[in-house]
Amino acid sequence: MKFYDRESEIAILKENELQSRQSAVFTVLMGRRRVGKTTLLTTALEGCDYAYLFVSKDSEAMLCQKFQHTLEEQLDIRVYGTIRHFRELFEVIMKESLNRHFTIIFDEFQTLYKVNPAIFSEMQDLWDRYHRDSHLFLITSGSIQSLMKRIFEHENEPLYGRPTSKLTLQPFTTSVIRQIFRDHCPDYSNEDLLCLYMITGGVAKYVELLMDAGCHTKEKMLDYVCRQDSYFLYEGRDLMNQEFGNESATYFSILQLIANGMTKRSDIDGTMQKDMGAYLQNLEKNYLMISRLKPLLAKSNSKVTAYEISDQFLRFWFRFIWPYQSLVERRQLTLLRQNMEQHYEQFSGRTLEQYFQAKAMESGLFTMAGNWWDRKGKNEIDLIALNEFDHTGIVAEIKRNPRKFNTKELEEKSQALPTQSFGEYRLSLRNLSLKDM
């Protein structure tokens, strides 16, 4: 699959690279695994002098030997003798950058925690000492977002405040997903588009796998997921183990409950038979895997909340693959596929709501979008999108089948909106279905 989108990110990286020719620039690039960080960097820096250093789980001495070889090969930085400590290697880089301009990429930077946690203090010392006279463009990229946030955003960490720019690479937008699908299959159906969004959430690697395999229909996509050699069968587990480590069992259980529709804190606590508050907060704040939803414009202290898995692929994986690991291990994948088909329409209905909420925000017409429901659960609105500047917005009912719309019911629900929150907005009513994707 060819390279798509990322124009704004490429422009920022090119500007930073140009700026670093005069004074050092330290950029942090974060984003979930498989979202395309490495491809972005190599595309943006094409034609520039750079060294790509992948931080593997080796000993410090072994890692430094690999880095030393790469620096000699890619930037012609000659070092006599053998470097065994990261501090020595980074000092060589900083000193070399005093006299020439080049770029260094440390990929999977957070892995240095496992190599030697003292490395970050050593980097801080050397960066503070040399960067004012340096011409280095330093890029640290990482996919374990909890560790990357800890390294660069916690005040007690040595590299806090050192980066000059931070980028978080997001999955492809709905418009880019449509463009990719159109290039590979001009006559795709909206059902096929919804399935592609449901499985991939716009993550570049997942989209690439399906498009390169010629999976252009809902049936072929689900068949591909359930193949014996499928990449998707184990991807969720690999992602979670990478993030959670020894505490993965509890987090797996919580995410499975949420994926199956148990979205209230009280229900989760009851099923787990203990207070899950700390785990839910970690999933939301540190791991960025769930969102705590409130009715749009609800007060910050509102107790009317629900939890939802933020990542489309993980939401799909925890609903249809993780609970049935015994089927995966026994290679009874036909049964796995049948279960997906049986529950597809119900599950994809919420996916369609999320698609339209994302599309509303990407349109540039609205400053916020979300759901609304009252405390009793009697009135629920699938999408409200508001523009806080001109006080306009839309209220929409979203259904897969347009024949199920009830305009009168939507009008009644919109009239139930609290006037103290929505009274100043001019709201128009919409019905949205698969045909409007």
Side-chain angles (χ1 to χ4, degrees):
M1 189 175 80
K2 71 178 184 180
F3 188 82
Y4 283 90
D5 195 38
R6 311 306 193 193
E7 288 88 355
S8 61
E9 291 87 352
I10 288 176
I12 289 171
L13 289 169
K14 287 184 177 294
E15 288 175 9
N16 287 349
E17 195 274 339
L18 188 63
Q19 178 185 336
S20 66
R21 295 171 184 265
Q22 304 300 320
S23 58
V25 174
F26 186 169
T27 293
V28 176
L29 178 63
M30 292 188 283
R32 62 131 33 233
R33 194 166 82 153
R34 312 305 186 204
V35 79
K37 299 184 298 299
T38 303
T39 304
L40 167 67
L41 291 173
T42 55
T43 301
L45 296 172
E46 187 176 357
C48 301
D49 289 333
Y50 72 88
Y52 174 81
L53 306 176
F54 180 81
V55 183
S56 54
K57 297 177 182 178
D58 293 308
S59 67
E60 185 174 358
M62 181 66 72
L63 198 61
C64 288
Q65 287 180 37
K66 291 180 179 179
F67 288 172
Q68 183 178 350
H69 176 74
T70 302
L71 290 172
E72 291 178 356
E73 186 179 71
Q74 297 183 7
L75 288 175
D76 197 29
I77 297 178
R78 303 291 176 181
V79 181
Y80 296 100
T82 301
I83 292 179
R84 298 186 180 277
H85 299 287
F86 188 89
R87 179 186 179 89
E88 299 171 14
L89 180 112
F90 194 62
E91 187 162 22
V92 167
I93 291 172
M94 294 304 299
K95 284 183 175 179
E96 183 74 15
S97 72
L98 298 177
N99 301 311
R100 57 182 282 212
H101 164 72
F102 55 89
T103 299
I104 296 290
I105 301 171
F106 286 109
D107 201 358
E108 297 301 338
F109 181 73
Q110 76 284 334
T111 308
L112 288 173
Y113 251 124
K114 297 182 178 180
V115 176
N116 179 4
I119 285 174
F120 303 114
S121 296
E122 296 168 353
M123 285 188 70
Q124 175 208 344
D125 175 50
L126 293 169
W127 179 262
D128 290 349
R129 189 187 309 177
Y130 291 109
H131 81 274
R132 290 179 181 81
D133 300 312
S134 166
H135 307 284
L136 174 67
F137 184 19
L138 176 63
I139 302 174
T140 57
S141 174
S143 58
I144 302 182
Q145 298 187 76
S146 56
L147 281 178
M148 290 294 285
K149 285 171 67 68
R150 175 181 170 184
I151 292 168
F152 294 108
E153 296 181 11
H154 285 202
E155 294 183 8
N156 59 341
E157 292 293 325
L159 290 179
Y160 175 77
R162 266 59 188 186
T164 51
S165 72
K166 295 179 186 177
L167 276 174
T168 299
L169 192 61
Q170 302 291 347
F172 291 137
T173 63
T174 60
S175 61
V176 174
I177 296 173
R178 293 197 303 273
Q179 178 189 349
I180 295 171
F181 213 169
R182 192 162 50 245
D183 289 349
H184 287 81
C185 180
D187 59 346
Y188 71 84
S189 73
N190 283 348
E191 186 72 79
D192 303 329
L193 174 61
L194 179 62
C195 187
L196 179 64
Y197 181 72
M198 179 186 74
I199 295 173
T200 70
V203 174
K205 180 66 176 179
Y206 305 158
V207 175
E208 180 182 38
L209 282 170
L210 293 174
M211 293 298 99
D212 288 352
C215 298
H216 301 150
T217 66
K218 166 201 155 188
E219 288 72 23
K220 287 185 177 180
M221 290 180 211
L222 294 178
D223 287 345
Y224 187 88
V225 168
C226 295
R227 270 175 31 171
Q228 186 173 341
D229 63 340
S230 173
Y231 175 92
F232 294 102
L233 292 178
Y234 303 101
E235 170 69 355
R237 186 182 63 189
D238 294 344
L239 275 172
M240 297 300 95
N241 287 336
Q242 185 185 45
E243 283 282 358
F244 298 141
N246 297 330
E247 292 186 297
S248 61
T250 301
Y251 288 115
F252 271 56
S253 298
I254 294 172
L255 290 168
Q256 182 179 331
L257 291 176
I258 295 174
N260 277 277
M262 193 172 291
T263 60
K264 294 182 179 179
R265 163 79 181 275
S266 57
D267 293 338
I268 296 171
D269 288 348
T271 302
M272 299 293 291
Q273 296 188 333
K274 62 185 295 188
D275 186 343
M276 290 289 106
Y279 290 97
L280 289 166
Q281 186 173 18
N282 279 337
L283 284 169
E284 180 188 4
K285 303 294 185 183
N286 297 329
Y287 297 118
L288 308 177
M289 288 186 182
I290 65 173
S291 301
R292 189 154 56 106
L293 306 180
K294 296 181 180 180
L296 199 69
L297 296 185
K299 295 180 180 179
S300 58
N301 61 351
S302 172
K303 295 182 180 180
V304 184
T305 60
Y307 289 98
E308 186 170 69
I309 298 176
S310 309
D311 187 288
Q312 289 293 336
F313 168 74
L314 290 177
R315 180 173 170 267
F316 169 79
W317 191 84
F318 273 103
R319 174 62 182 85
F320 290 114
I321 298 176
W322 172 246
Y324 309 105
Q325 284 299 292
S326 60
L327 295 181
V328 175
E329 297 302 328
R330 296 198 306 266
R331 297 303 181 196
Q332 293 180 294
L333 300 178
T334 301
L335 292 176
L336 190 74
R337 174 69 175 85
Q338 289 173 355
N339 184 63
M340 288 182 187
E341 190 69 41
Q342 182 179 352
H343 299 283
Y344 175 84
E345 282 205 12
Q346 180 184 9
F347 183 82
S348 64
R350 174 57 186 150
T351 305
L352 187 63
E353 292 179 22
Q354 295 170 320
Y355 177 92
F356 280 116
Q357 289 174 11
K359 189 178 179 183
M361 291 304 297
E362 292 163 12
S363 70
L365 300 174
F366 308 103
T367 57
M368 64 173 75
N371 303 80
W372 182 86
W373 64 97
D374 59 20
R375 183 180 294 273
K376 296 180 180 180
K378 181 180 178 181
N379 295 297
E380 184 174 350
I381 297 176
D382 299 328
L383 168 64
I384 300 180
L386 303 175
N387 185 316
E388 297 166 276
F389 299 113
D390 63 12
H391 301 289
T392 59
I394 62 171
V395 173
E397 182 178 15
I398 299 171
K399 292 188 181 299
R400 288 174 46 87
N401 187 347
R403 288 177 292 183
K404 294 184 178 181
F405 286 132
N406 188 327
T407 303
K408 182 179 179 181
E409 186 176 289
L410 181 59
E411 291 176 354
E412 293 174 353
K413 289 179 180 180
S414 66
Q415 290 170 4
L417 291 170
T419 55
Q420 66 270 27
S421 300
F422 294 92
E424 61 181 295
Y425 289 94
R426 300 187 305 278
L427 302 174
S428 58
L429 304 185
R430 297 278 299 276
N431 289 322
L432 299 171
S433 68
L434 277 171
K435 67 182 181 62
D436 301 299
M437 289 182 69

